[in-house]
Amino acid sequence: MKRLYGLIAILVVFLGFAFVQESRPDSATKKPVPTVGILQLLSHPALDAIHKGIIHGLAEEGYHVNKNVKIDFQNAQNDQSNLKTMSARFVDEKADAMIGIATPSAQALANASSNIPVVLGAITDPKGADLVHSNEHPGNNVTGVSDQAPLKSQLKLIQKIMPKMQTLGIIYTSSDDSATAQYHQFAALCKQEHVRLKAYTIASTNDLNQVAQQMVSQVDAIYVPTDNTVASAMQTLVSTANAKKVPVFPAVDTMVKAGGLATLSINQYKLGVETGKMTAAILKGKNPADTPIHFERQGEMTINLTQAKKLGITLPDSVIQEAQKHGEVFK
Ligand code: TRP
């Protein structure tokens, strides 16, 4: 009998303990939901795809929007003062991590805080943009994903589709760090491969039409780097180029969809997914200072058959097959 009382006493104590555990308010046992600020420079299909990919990547690593992560998404509409106020807003609300989509956004975030982790969402040249000490050892609160395009394979593809090409034009925005960095690399490559390259620069979308008009009468094909301004106004460039039957070879898949002819491209959505995953790792405690920049190496063949028809260009079978098997075909 004594033993039974003893057992009952133990049981009562145990249940009481369990009850106390159970009835504790949530805030004491669960961590508060982390906040991630996402700052996108402007809307164009590539950056929009990266944004979507980020949400997917966070979810893949267990962070679901409005469940266990709060996203504060801001679009700066390509305006420098917006970038500044929006970055300050994230710092004020004590964001746990901030993601910059496109170079100017990342720079604004890095300027706004030296301790909140900043994750780079598809930044071409993190070191060149002064965002990290080195790609291997970023060193501060900034790390992320680069969208550096496979320029050499892209040039080879242009030569394959345009074997009689005499002059290749390149158009980019002089104030766009990402595009300018690529222009320099691409120009060096063309020199090495004995391709005649003619460069055309714009200041904004306002002069795109005029510069494009001039360009299409002087070149046989056009290359476009990851330029945020041109990416937001592809229709203007493409309609001008189509009128003269000059093909446009852009650096990315989304710009092929918007009227480019072909490219070997890093999948923009996938860049976003990688950015989201890296952000998740940082929320779980990874230190940006010693997290290397992630480079996506694998290019995918992307072609636009409507454009090929419009331009009267026959794409090589090998290119079409590669796009059908491992890439994307826009019709
Ligand atoms: N790399 C660009 C930057 O650093 C952003 C970007 C990603 C982009 N994908 C793109 C720009 C496609 C134009 C087209 O600013």
Side-chain angles (χ1 to χ4, degrees):
M1 204 56 187
K2 240 187 184 168
R3 244 174 111 191
L4 189 64
Y5 280 137
L7 267 177
I8 287 171
I10 289 172
L11 202 66
V12 165
V13 168
F14 178 78
L15 282 176
F17 189 69
F19 179 75
V20 169
Q21 282 281 326
E22 195 48 41
S23 63
R24 261 197 203 158
D26 260 11
S27 58
T29 46
K30 268 193 213 154
K31 272 206 197 146
V33 168
T35 299
V36 176
I38 303 181
L39 183 55
Q40 181 172 325
L41 177 64
L42 78 168
S43 265
H44 63 66
L47 301 191
D48 295 344
I50 292 164
H51 171 210
K52 276 199 194 129
I54 289 171
I55 303 299
H56 184 109
L58 279 167
E60 260 187 39
E61 297 300 320
Y63 288 100
H64 300 276
V65 178
N66 292 336
K67 275 195 188 148
N68 55 353
V69 68
K70 186 181 156 224
I71 301 289
D72 184 356
F73 176 77
Q74 300 289 324
N75 184 328
Q77 317 285 356
N78 211 10
D79 181 300
Q80 197 62 39
S81 70
N82 283 346
L83 288 174
K84 231 178 160 178
T85 44
M86 289 165 177
S87 302
R89 168 195 164 108
F90 293 160
V91 175
D92 280 349
E93 67 186 358
K94 300 195 168 51
D96 297 273
M98 312 192 279
I99 303 176
I101 307 180
T103 304
S105 317
Q107 286 169 326
L109 294 175
N111 284 336
S113 172
S114 51
N115 50 26
I116 300 176
V118 174
V119 185
L120 309 176
I123 304 310
T124 305
D125 185 6
K127 168 98 176 76
D130 266 342
L131 287 159
V132 294
H133 290 311
S134 78
N135 293 333
E136 265 310 300
H137 299 283
N140 287 321
N141 59 323
V142 182
T143 187
V145 176
S146 169
D147 64 324
Q148 175 62 55
L151 301 183
K152 203 167 187 169
S153 323
Q154 295 187 339
L155 179 59
K156 280 214 179 106
L157 178 66
I158 298 172
Q159 289 176 300
K160 191 170 185 177
I161 296 174
M162 306 289 291
K164 293 192 190 120
M165 176 177 73
Q166 303 267 329
T167 308
L168 176 59
I170 181 170
I171 184 163
Y172 66 98
T173 311
S174 43
S175 60
D176 187 312
D177 283 347
S178 157
T180 327
Q182 274 181 30
Y183 161 68
H184 289 298
Q185 284 181 32
F186 196 75
L189 199 63
C190 286
K191 203 167 175 198
Q192 193 183 308
E193 303 293 325
H194 307 289
V195 172
R196 196 196 300 153
L197 184 71
K198 211 164 164 2
Y200 299 81
T201 57
I202 58 168
S204 72
T205 42
N206 293 340
D207 51 357
L208 178 58
N209 187 35
Q210 194 199 332
V211 174
Q213 291 283 358
Q214 187 196 350
M215 176 171 59
V216 293
S217 62
Q218 299 173 343
V219 304
D220 306 301
I222 297 165
Y223 178 71
V224 188
T226 48
D227 186 298
N228 289 297
T229 306
V230 181
S232 69
M234 270 296 279
Q235 279 69 22
T236 306
L237 175 63
V238 168
S239 61
T240 309
N242 279 353
K244 283 266 182 195
K245 294 220 183 325
V246 177
V248 176
F249 294 93
V252 298
D253 48 1
T254 48
M255 290 161 98
V256 169
K257 189 178 182 192
L261 176 60
T263 193
L264 244 167
S265 150
I266 311 282
N267 185 304
Q268 301 297 295
Y269 184 79
K270 191 153 176 254
L271 283 170
V273 174
E274 290 302 326
T275 306
K277 284 184 177 173
M278 198 184 271
T279 307
I282 286 167
L283 289 176
K284 290 173 188 166
K286 208 163 184 196
N287 182 2
D290 44 51
T291 304
I293 298 290
H294 174 93
F295 285 87
E296 202 59 45
R297 300 280 176 198
Q298 200 65 38
E300 289 171 13
M301 189 68 78
T302 310
I303 59 174
N304 185 327
L305 292 178
T306 309
Q307 273 301 114
K309 204 184 258 170
K310 264 192 199 158
L311 298 163
I313 290 175
T314 315
L315 293 172
D317 281 344
S318 60
V319 169
I320 297 177
Q321 276 163 19
E322 177 61 24
Q324 284 168 340
K325 265 194 217 144
H326 306 293
E328 269 180 293
V329 180
F330 296 112
K331 287 182 185 159

